[in-house]
Amino acid sequence: MAVFALTCSHQQDEMVQKSISALPTAQKSGLAEVVFAEPAAGATGVQREASILLAFGTKVNTTSVQSGFSVTRVSDGTIVAGTFTWQQGTTLTFTPSSLLAYSTDYQLTVNGLTSLGKNLIPYAATFRTGHDGTIPTVIASTPGNGTS
């Protein structure tokens, strides 16, 4: 049986831990796949400094998952560099080395093996980061102000 445990260092981690804990045991135990992802597939407004959290339904071969893991910027295919942290061989945190770009789509792809050598079900998801919070300013218009 897989054990899901996260060391919570801030509010987002606590939210993820509660979400993973809320999954029925049958859904999170023994499955050779991603059973929880944050950000979720299709998420928008993702913070630029957000880490990617994945929970697997079984222990995985961490080396193979890291080799089969990628986050790429959809617009140009740039790969996001970062570091991996594992808990119990079932929960992965990927922390990008630098902030993600504003208002940008990213593709997350995960492949690999379980600890017993079984192929994981491939996982792919797209998410979008939030905007920078600035309000656009009009610097020119046509026709100009006061023009008839």
Side-chain angles (χ1 to χ4, degrees):
M1 179 169 111
V3 176
F4 292 86
L6 292 174
T7 303
C8 296
S9 60
H10 56 38
Q11 188 175 8
Q12 181 182 5
D13 285 344
E14 290 172 6
M15 179 182 73
V16 171
Q17 183 179 14
K18 288 177 186 175
S19 297
I20 292 170
S21 298
L23 288 173
T25 301
Q27 282 187 319
K28 63 183 178 184
S29 172
L31 298 176
E33 64 185 312
V34 172
V35 295
F36 179 84
E38 182 65 33
T44 59
V46 174
Q47 295 180 358
R48 295 176 62 214
E49 65 276 1
S51 291
I52 295 171
L53 303 163
L54 299 173
F56 298 88
T58 189
K59 278 193 167 191
V60 298
N61 176 312
T62 57
T63 302
S64 74
V65 171
Q66 286 178 207
S67 294
F69 179 99
S70 69
V71 178
T72 56
R73 192 167 43 216
V74 172
S75 62
D76 62 7
T78 298
I79 296 172
V80 176
T83 58
F84 297 94
T85 307
W86 288 91
Q87 287 84 33
Q88 315 249 332
T90 58
T91 305
L92 166 65
T93 302
F94 175 78
T95 304
S97 298
S98 58
L99 294 176
L100 300 175
Y102 289 115
S103 300
T104 301
D105 292 323
Y106 288 90
Q107 174 76 39
L108 166 64
T109 305
V110 182
N111 290 295
L113 302 171
T114 69
S115 61
L116 300 176
K118 181 179 177 184
N119 286 326
L120 288 172
I121 296 171
Y123 178 82
T126 303
F127 62 90
R128 184 171 184 80
T129 54
H131 63 83
D132 66 2
T134 59
I135 299 171
T137 304
V138 176
I139 56 172
S141 65
T142 303
N145 191 17
T147 307
S148 307

